[in-house]
């Protein structure tokens, strides 16, 4: 039996938590990322009058990502354990995650430079390309993800996320050359033809439209015209609020200034400065030398690649794009009532170009099926910021699915080690304050101070008593993951997944971490699927009532009289592990105040 002992006196965290997440750095300290070799890239150069096709990107450079086959992610416990077993596999995963964390403005500029110089100087019609060297996803039957760029038009806005996205999506990016003058309505038609063609070939596969700024207007417009297609919209700082933007006064200025005056660059740099300042503020927790080095690196990148910025957004292109956004904003706003697609709005709190926070709240109220996530310390270019992980956000919001309706078991993607580390870090003060101690019983009846007695092979059902407010959950789940590579899938209250009505209930975003760690809504079907997949399942029969017990109800069970979960576990031959926690109920009393 596993038990959790809780003490009020702080002590150091168990040593097992720390060394597992120590990331090794390369000797050079430089990014291992290999820029895309554009000369060897085969882009689909098609006009807006034809249905775009996607062709694979070939990378002939050595080093960086190798040609090793990626591990297919499944929902079975055996597959999840295999994902974490083996030193070589683990080192490959850690190295790949570390590589992605190092991508920065420099990588964007390098690839944008190759894109412009090797693609006819920014000429040609809009086209789709795949940013991944293998040309597609590593999972079977993966959804299609179409990235619709913002004002830069390069299609490289997901450079920090493309490898992780490529494990669970087929990723296509729209490239709009700098000298292209395709109108917004023609871009809408181009994207619409693409999604209709893909929907015709795979009618049950959802199509994700990820757009930032201008691309968000494009995604909303396409969704409004195609309510019959299963679309999922993920929109970062939509330009539907352009009417209130401080960029408006720039348009008449750009119309009258001479071509020789590069007045467009300071405005571009001011938006980049928001990213640099945000990254600096978030890096203040680092040692001073690392903070200074990071800031110097980003500033050097921004000044070194001024010529690249000029090639991506020369004055006439910037004017064209701003005029396009000015027309795209009312076009999309006038069609919001027709958007039925599942939508996720990502709003930055420090967007210097658009009132994104206010606009996100407006869109949430306006759109039929919309959720919002706020990023208070982020700037306009959210996808470029250091601590933003798009894949983690998609997991946490429960937006990943393979069909029209989400299956919480088969559509689930297990957390990466960096995601588990973030969960551990977010609960570090709780661990320091309570000093949790894990005990378990071996097969011979010996009690040990570890989780060695927990069965490794599933299906396993953990049944326990819910302590006050459920504070034992975080240390128990993370410790099980870190020490034993056992992934506990919790059965949780439905309010953590769907906000059924307005009121004083906690915001659904508070439970994103639980969804990342694999919690599923309580239901007989989900319980059945988890056991049939040989998972380790965590169940509190007493539920919320037990977690919110009142004064005098310490350690009291509120279990149902008929425990149907026992029959279900017996049907699959699951091992039942009873567990309890001691100490948490003794630190506070829960009072309910009634008012007339």
């Amino acid at each position: 039996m596993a038990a959790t002992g809780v003490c009020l006196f702080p002590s150091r965290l168990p040593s097992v938590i720390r060394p597992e997440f120590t990331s090794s750095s390369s000797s050079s300290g430089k990014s291992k990322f290999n820029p895309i070799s554009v000369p060897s890239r085969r882009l689909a150069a098609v006009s807006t009058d034809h249905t775009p096709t996607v062709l694979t990107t070939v990378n002939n450079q050595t080093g960086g990502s190798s040609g090793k086959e990626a591990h297919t992610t499944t929902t079975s416990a055996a597959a999840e354990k295999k994902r974490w077993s083996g030193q070589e596999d683990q080192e490959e995963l850690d190295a790949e995650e570390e590589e992605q964390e190092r991508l920065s403005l420099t990588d964007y500029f390098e690839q944008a430079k190759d894109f412009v110089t090797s693609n006819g100087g920014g000429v040609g019609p809009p086209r789709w390309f795949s940013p991944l060297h293998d040309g597609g996803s590593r999972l079977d039957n993966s959804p299609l993800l179409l990235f619709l760029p913002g004002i830069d038009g390069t299609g490289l806005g997901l450079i920090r996320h493309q490898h992780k996205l490529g494990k669970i999506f087929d990723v296509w990016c729209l490239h709009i050359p700098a000298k292209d003058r395709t109108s917004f309505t023609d871009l809408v038609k181009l994207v619409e033809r693409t999604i209709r063609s893909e929907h015709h070939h795979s009618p049950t596969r959802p199509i994700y439209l990820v757009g930032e700024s201008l691309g968000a207007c494009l995604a909303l417009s396409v969704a409004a015209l195609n309510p019959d297609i299963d679309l999922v919209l993920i929109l970062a700082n939509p330009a539907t609020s352009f009417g209130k933007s401080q960029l408006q006064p720039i348009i008449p200025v750009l119309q009258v200034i001479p071509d020789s005056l590069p007045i467009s660059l300071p405005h571009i740099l001011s938006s980049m400065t928001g990213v640099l300042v945000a990254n600096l503020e978030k890096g203040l927790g680092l040692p001073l030398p690392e903070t200074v080095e990071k800031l110097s690196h980003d500033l050097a990148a921004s000044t070194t690649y001024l010529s690249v910025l000029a090639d991506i957004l020369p004055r006439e292109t910037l004017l064209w794009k701003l005029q396009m956004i000015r027309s795209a904003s009312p076009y999309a706003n006038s069609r919001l009532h027709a958007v039925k697609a599942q939508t996720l709005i990502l709003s930055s709190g420090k967007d210097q170009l658009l009132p994104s926070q206010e606009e996100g709240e407006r869109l949430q109220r306006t759109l039929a099926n919309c959720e919002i996530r706020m990023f208070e310390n982020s700037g306009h270019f959210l996808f470029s910021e250091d601590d933003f992980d798009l894949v983690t956000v998609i997991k946490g919001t429960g937006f990943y699915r393979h069909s029209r309706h989400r299956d919480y078991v088969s559509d689930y993607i297990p957390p990466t080690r960096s995601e588990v580390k973030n969960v551990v870090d977010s609960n570090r003060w709780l661990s320091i304050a309570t000093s949790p101690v894990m005990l378990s019983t071996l097969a011979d009846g010996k009690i040990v101070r570890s989780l060695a007695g927990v069965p490794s092979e599933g299906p396993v059902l953990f049944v326990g008593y819910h302590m006050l407010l459920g504070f034992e959950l975080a240390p128990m789940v993370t410790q099980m993951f870190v020490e034993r590579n056992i992934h506990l899938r919790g059965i949780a209250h439905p309010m953590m997944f769907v906000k059924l009505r307005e009121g004083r209930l906690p915001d659904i975003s508070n439970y994103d971490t639980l969804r990342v760690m694999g919690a599923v809504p309580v239901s007989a079907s989900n319980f059945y699927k988890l056991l049939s997949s040989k998972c380790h399942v965590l169940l509190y029969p007493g539920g919320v009532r037990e977690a919110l017990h009142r004064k005098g109800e310490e350690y009291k069970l509120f279990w149902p009289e008929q425990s149907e979960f026992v029959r279900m576990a017996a049907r699959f031959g699951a091992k039942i592990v009873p567990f309890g926690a001691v100490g948490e109920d003794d630190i506070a009393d829960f009072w309910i105040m009634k008012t007339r």
Side-chain angles (χ1 to χ4, degrees), residues 204-521:
T204 61
R205 183 173 73 158
I207 300 175
Y208 286 67
L209 300 181
V210 177
E212 62 174 351
S213 185
L214 172 62
C217 294
L218 186 56
L220 287 168
S221 302
V222 171
L225 297 173
N226 298 272
D228 56 320
I229 297 179
D230 183 17
L231 299 176
V232 180
L233 310 185
I234 301 177
L235 313 178
N237 301 321
T240 47
S241 62
F242 188 74
K244 301 178 181 179
S245 172
Q246 63 179 1
L247 293 176
Q248 286 271 21
I250 299 178
I251 297 179
V253 175
L254 292 176
Q255 291 174 332
V256 298
I257 63 173
D259 294 342
S260 59
L261 184 61
I263 195 172
S264 59
L265 289 181
H267 296 94
I268 302 172
L269 289 177
S270 66
S271 64
M272 288 177 48
T273 303
V275 176
L276 298 180
V277 172
N279 286 340
L280 174 61
E281 291 176 350
K282 296 169 185 177
L284 290 179
L286 298 174
L288 182 59
E290 295 184 23
T291 301
V292 173
E293 180 183 1
K294 175 176 177 52
L295 179 61
S296 301
H297 184 268
D298 287 342
L299 286 174
S302 63
T303 55
T304 302
Y305 293 100
L306 288 179
S307 61
V308 180
L309 285 173
D311 292 335
I312 297 174
L313 281 176
R315 186 195 65 83
E316 62 276 7
T317 298
L318 179 60
L319 176 60
W320 170 263
K321 291 292 181 66
L322 291 176
Q323 291 173 332
M324 180 188 292
I325 296 177
R326 186 169 62 179
S327 63
S329 178
Y331 185 96
N333 279 317
S334 65
R335 291 162 173 78
L336 293 180
H337 65 281
V339 177
K340 308 302 179 185
Q342 183 183 17
T343 305
L344 175 63
I345 304 294
L346 308 177
S347 297
S348 295
K350 295 184 178 180
D351 190 340
Q352 299 178 355
L353 304 183
L354 298 170
S356 296
Q357 198 164 15
E358 176 185 346
E359 181 66 6
E361 295 172 351
R362 183 185 75 90
L363 292 175
Q364 184 185 29
R365 295 190 302 266
T366 305
L367 297 175
N369 184 12
C370 181
E371 292 186 28
I372 185 173
R373 293 297 184 270
M374 296 287 190
F375 301 88
E376 299 293 342
N377 298 319
S378 297
H380 180 72
F381 295 98
L382 181 62
F383 293 149
S384 300
E385 300 212 357
D386 287 342
D387 61 351
F388 178 82
D389 191 319
L390 181 57
V391 173
T392 301
V393 170
I394 293 175
K395 291 179 181 180
T397 53
F399 266 60
Y400 186 76
R401 51 188 174 87
H402 291 86
S403 58
R404 184 170 291 272
H405 300 287
R406 174 172 169 78
D407 188 313
Y408 287 94
V409 178
S410 62
D411 287 334
Y412 176 68
I413 304 296
T416 62
R417 296 192 72 84
S418 64
E419 289 169 341
V420 177
K421 177 183 180 298
N422 290 335
V423 175
V424 173
D425 291 342
S426 64
N427 290 278
R428 189 168 299 278
W429 284 111
L430 175 63
S431 297
I432 292 175
T434 58
S435 301
V437 176
M438 308 288 175
L439 306 174
S440 64
T441 305
L442 302 178
D444 59 4
K446 181 181 178 181
I447 298 178
V448 295
R449 185 170 174 170
S450 70
L451 297 174
V454 176
S456 300
E457 301 298 329
V460 177
L461 176 61
F462 292 79
V463 181
Y465 162 71
H466 228 326
M467 297 289 285
L468 184 63
L469 300 179
F471 283 140
E472 77 281 354
L473 263 174
M476 179 179 177
V477 172
T478 54
Q479 186 76 358
M480 197 79 70
F481 214 118
V482 172
E483 183 177 338
R484 294 294 312 279
N485 286 335
I486 292 177
H487 187 190
L488 283 180
R489 302 290 304 275
I491 305 291
H493 195 280
M495 74 174 183
M496 299 180 181
F497 300 87
V498 179
K499 191 169 185 178
L500 300 178
R501 59 184 176 86
E502 296 296 329
R504 297 184 179 180
L505 292 175
D507 190 87
I508 195 172
S509 63
N510 294 330
Y511 307 112
D512 286 0
T513 298
L514 296 180
R515 289 187 287 270
V516 169
M517 295 302 295
V520 302

Side-chain angles (χ1 to χ4, degrees), residues 7-49:
C7 174
L8 286 178
F9 299 98
S11 65
R12 69 183 183 90
L13 290 173
S15 59
V16 69
I17 293 181
R18 298 192 306 274
E20 290 290 330
F21 298 114
T22 302
S23 59
S24 58
S25 58
S26 62
S27 58
S28 63
K30 298 181 180 180
S31 171
K32 298 179 181 178
F33 178 74
N34 284 328
I36 296 176
S37 180
V38 178
S40 61
R41 179 195 300 274
R42 295 173 293 165
L43 295 176
V46 292
S47 69
T48 56
D49 296 330

Side-chain angles (χ1 to χ4, degrees), residues 140-167:
D140 295 332
N141 193 31
S142 294
L144 174 65
L145 186 150
L146 304 179
F147 174 63
L148 309 178
I151 193 171
D152 67 300
T154 60
L156 298 174
L158 295 181
I159 187 173
R160 295 179 59 86
H161 313 276
Q162 60 193 26
H163 284 275
K164 292 185 69 175
L165 287 170
K167 296 178 182 180

